[in-house]
Amino acid sequence: MERKVTLTAHRGWRAKYPENTMRGFREALKLDIDAIEMDAHMTKDYHIVVCHDATLDRTTDKSGSICQLTLDEVRSADAGIKFGEEFKGEKIPTFEEFLELMATRPDLKLLLELKDYPEELGDFAYASAELTLSLCRKYGIFGKDRLTVITFSTGICAWLRTRYTKEDFSIHGFYPKTKMRGWEKDEPYKYYDEVCLFNSGEKDPQGFPIVHDTPVADKARFTEFALMGIKPCVYYKLNTNIEDHRKAFENGAVGFTSDDPDICGEILDKIGARKLKK
């Protein structure tokens, strides 16, 4: 049976532009994509900013934990210089700055990853999640057709499902469940609408062996999640290998997230994965 496959640009256009910057997001919007993925953290003075890591160290010329810095301190960092001299001066965006851009593209979905975790930050993480989602609602980026919330926290999954409905947004988690914080105390899969399947680790908690000669998970895992009504998705870091994408599609992947959304789109078209796309 034919199925609609979606393509998401990861952290903007990560392979070509500094990740999670307005430059990268604007360039990604020029591509034939279905969604953009980005990451949200809250600052010490309660502002939401767009950055993957909990600290500034890897992607900017500054250091320190975002949750312990003010917005002004975060914005003083250069988020482009480490990627290339030509990107010098790029700032870490505020979430509202990003949402203003997304509001101009009602045809695209937002994959919002909440990066503050209650397993590490307690109530601060719940406050961060609520503030982030209130901003999504403010800018009209809400509803399951417009918004998917991604998290590596079982606690956040549970929190969201006590306060929002499946009509508000989809929840996207990860396989194996050991990648989810708090998985030992609560079953994360019961909260998922979507799942990103990785093929890493020695075995999953059910005992299935994980063979490391491919980043693509076993076909049975895709099938089982599909039977559970959970959308199987994949992300392969900086990977433009057509055979990996072909195998994932054949195994049942419905959503593809890519650092190279331009090349990934070409691959999906070549293997016939997007033939239902209008």
Side-chain angles (χ1 to χ4, degrees), residues 3 42 62-63 83 130 152 171 181 186 237 271-272:
R3 64 188 187 274
M42 189 165 70
K62 303 288 186 180
S63 62
F83 195 86
E130 289 294 333
F152 279 92
I171 290 180
R181 289 162 175 79
D186 191 10
K237 183 178 180 181
I271 65 177

Side-chain angles (χ1 to χ4, degrees), residues 14 28 84 89 96 110 154 156 203 209-210 219 225 266 274:
R14 186 187 177 209
E96 290 198 72
L110 170 59
T154 306
I156 285 292
K203 61 182 180 180
I210 294 177
K219 180 177 175 62
F225 279 112
E266 294 173 0
R274 295 202 294 177

Side-chain angles (χ1 to χ4, degrees), residues 54-66 68-70 73-74 76-78 82 92:
T55 70
L56 304 181
D57 302 50
R58 179 179 63 87
T59 58
T60 81
D61 62 343
K62 303 288 186 180
S63 62
S65 298
I66 292 173
Q68 297 175 355
L69 299 171
T70 66
E73 289 171 328
V74 170
S76 71
D78 190 318
K82 282 190 173 181
I92 290 178

Side-chain angles (χ1 to χ4, degrees), residues 38-187:
M38 46 70 65
D39 308 278
H41 287 277
M42 189 165 70
T43 64
K44 178 182 179 180
D45 52 348
Y46 307 113
H47 294 275
I48 305 301
V49 295
V50 182
C51 187
H52 178 272
D53 297 3
T55 70
L56 304 181
D57 302 50
R58 179 179 63 87
T59 58
T60 81
D61 62 343
K62 303 288 186 180
S63 62
S65 298
I66 292 173
C67 67
Q68 297 175 355
L69 299 171
T70 66
L71 176 62
D72 287 345
E73 289 171 328
V74 170
R75 293 281 284 175
S76 71
D78 190 318
I81 188 64
K82 282 190 173 181
F83 195 86
E85 183 67 29
E86 66 270 34
F87 301 109
K88 182 178 180 180
E90 283 290 326
K91 301 296 184 184
I92 290 178
T94 65
F95 188 45
E96 290 198 72
E97 185 180 9
F98 169 78
L99 289 173
E100 287 174 0
L101 177 64
M102 281 296 291
T104 69
R105 291 293 304 273
D107 57 313
L108 294 184
K109 192 171 188 178
L110 170 59
L111 272 62
L112 162 65
E113 185 163 346
L114 299 176
K115 300 292 288 194
D116 292 329
Y117 306 126
E119 293 84 1
E120 299 167 2
L121 298 174
D123 293 347
F124 183 92
Y126 296 128
S128 175
E130 289 294 333
L131 177 54
T132 303
L133 289 167
S134 72
L135 292 172
C136 288
R137 193 189 291 274
K138 174 183 174 182
Y139 283 86
I141 302 173
F142 215 70
K144 65 179 182 180
D145 294 329
R146 193 78 201 281
L147 178 64
T148 290
V149 176
I150 305 173
T151 182
F152 279 92
S153 165
T154 306
I156 285 292
C157 288
W159 173 267
L160 294 176
R161 280 297 172 243
T162 66
R163 304 176 68 80
Y164 299 91
T165 71
K166 286 180 175 286
E167 295 304 309
D168 293 325
F169 49 78
S170 299
I171 290 180
H172 181 117
F174 296 88
Y175 167 88
K177 71 176 71 175
T178 50
K179 292 186 176 294
M180 298 292 293
R181 289 162 175 79
W183 72 273
E184 305 95 333
K185 298 179 181 179
D186 191 10
E187 172 56 70

